């Protein structure tokens, strides 16, 4: 079955530590996205990548970093510079930058204390 | 810039009753519109989409939505709600708005649906 996997489902970290969230897709999609979801705020775009070895900042990129070395993988690092990192993080993909339809992974809930 | 408003934060309906979730959008051109559903602690699943053509679109799980350009709305409906429909619903509008010409989805803040048995 094709789809998007995110691991782990739950992640706990101490303040001041960097943490990397995994996102893998086997849909052969070119474009991938990272969103942050907070209660009552909908989804906000952190970073996106339209092709391998290229990525762009979204609306709330400060304190986050990404890489896109393989088509299938788009890991997100939450750095210690992110002031309020506790949130639900969703990864998505689409066929290409011209495609509007995005498919979502199951999400990772990050708690930083 | 595009925006989406979902005016109802919470809605409660009885099982078997009809449902309408409201969505209003702001976008200067013809919009691409979506409804997604999210169960607790899960990702988003696409219910239906509107790109062009017939303004009444059918989706999965018995849902439908109607695009009304004059009202800038894309309301989601279901004739008879099942207890398993309890979830959070997000409306989204797509636009060419990313660096490099890519498409951006802008989401509303969601409507939480509770179904009473």
């Amino acid at each position: 079955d094709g789809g998007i996997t995110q691991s782990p489902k739950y992640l706990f970290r101490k303040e001041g530590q960097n943490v990397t969230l995994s996102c893998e897709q086997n849909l052969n999609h070119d474009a991938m996205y990272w969103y942050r979801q907070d209660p009552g705020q909908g989804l906000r775009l952190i970073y996106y990548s339209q092709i391998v070895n290229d990525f762009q900042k979204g609306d709330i990129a400060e304190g986050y970093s990404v890489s896109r070395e393989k088509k299938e993988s788009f890991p997100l690092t939450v750095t210690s510079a992110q002031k309020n990192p506790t949130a639900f993080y969703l990864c998505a993909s689409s066929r290409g930058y011209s495609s509007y339809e995005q498919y979502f992974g199951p999400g990772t809930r990050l708690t930083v204390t | 810039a595009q925006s989406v408003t979902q005016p109802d934060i919470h809605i409660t309906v009885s099982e078997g009753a009809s449902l309408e979730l409201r969505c209003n959008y702001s976008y200067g051109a013809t919009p691409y519109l979506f409804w997604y559903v999210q169960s607790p602690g899960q990702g988003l699943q696409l219910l239906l989409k509107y790109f062009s053509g017939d303004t009444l679109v059918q989706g999965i799980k018995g849902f439908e939505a109607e695009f009304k350009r004059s009202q800038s709305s894309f309301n989601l409906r279901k004739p008879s709600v099942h207890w398993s429909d309890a979830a959070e619903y997000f409306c989204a509008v797509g636009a060419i708005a990313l660096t490099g010409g890519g498409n951006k989805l802008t989401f509303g803040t969601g409507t939480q649906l509770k179904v009473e048995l």
Side-chain angles (χ1 to χ4, degrees), chain A residues 9-10 33 35 37 40-45 48 50 56-59 88 90 96-107 109, chain B residues 27 32 34 36 38 41-46 49 51 88 90 94-110:
Chain A
K9 180 73 172 173
Y10 299 95
Y33 312 82
Y35 291 91
Q37 185 177 22
Q41 294 197 46
L43 278 70
R44 293 180 289 169
L45 184 63
Y48 62 96
Q50 297 176 15
Q56 305 287 343
K57 293 181 179 180
D59 299 321
F88 191 54
L90 287 159
Y97 73 93
S98 61
S99 173
Y100 288 98
E101 193 168 331
Q102 294 183 17
Y103 297 82
F104 284 81
R109 182 164 299 281
Chain B
Y27 183 56
Y32 295 87
F34 303 82
Y36 284 87
Q38 184 181 35
Q42 301 297 317
L44 274 67
Q45 181 183 21
L46 180 65
K49 61 192 176 191
F51 285 177
E88 190 157 21
F90 292 92
I96 299 175
L98 297 177
T99 300
N103 303 321
K104 176 180 181 178
L105 285 186
T106 298
F107 289 84
T109 52

Side-chain angles (χ1 to χ4, degrees), chain B:
Chain B
Q2 66 273 23
S3 66
V4 177
T5 300
Q6 293 181 247
D8 303 306
I9 298 174
H10 297 98
I11 282 187
T12 300
V13 299
S14 299
E15 190 175 36
S18 64
L19 171 70
E20 182 169 29
L21 302 182
R22 296 183 290 165
C23 172
N24 293 98
Y25 69 89
S26 173
Y27 183 56
T30 300
Y32 295 87
L33 296 161
F34 303 82
W35 274 100
Y36 284 87
V37 61
Q38 184 181 35
S39 298
Q42 301 297 317
L44 274 67
Q45 181 183 21
L46 180 65
L47 280 176
L48 48 78
K49 61 192 176 191
Y50 171 77
F51 285 177
S52 65
D54 194 345
T55 56
L56 184 64
V57 293
Q58 303 296 321
I60 62 171
K61 304 185 181 188
F63 285 92
E64 66 178 27
E66 186 171 12
F67 170 58
K68 293 185 177 180
R69 185 187 300 275
S70 62
Q71 298 177 22
S72 297
S73 69
F74 189 56
N75 293 350
L76 182 71
R77 302 194 295 244
K78 187 170 185 178
S80 177
V81 170
H82 188 262
W83 65 266
S84 61
D85 292 325
E88 190 157 21
Y89 292 80
F90 292 92
C91 182
V93 61
I96 299 175
L98 297 177
T99 300
N103 303 321
K104 176 180 181 178
L105 285 186
T106 298
F107 289 84
T109 52
T111 297
Q112 186 72 46
L113 173 65
K114 179 180 176 182
V115 180
E116 290 183 331
L117 299 177

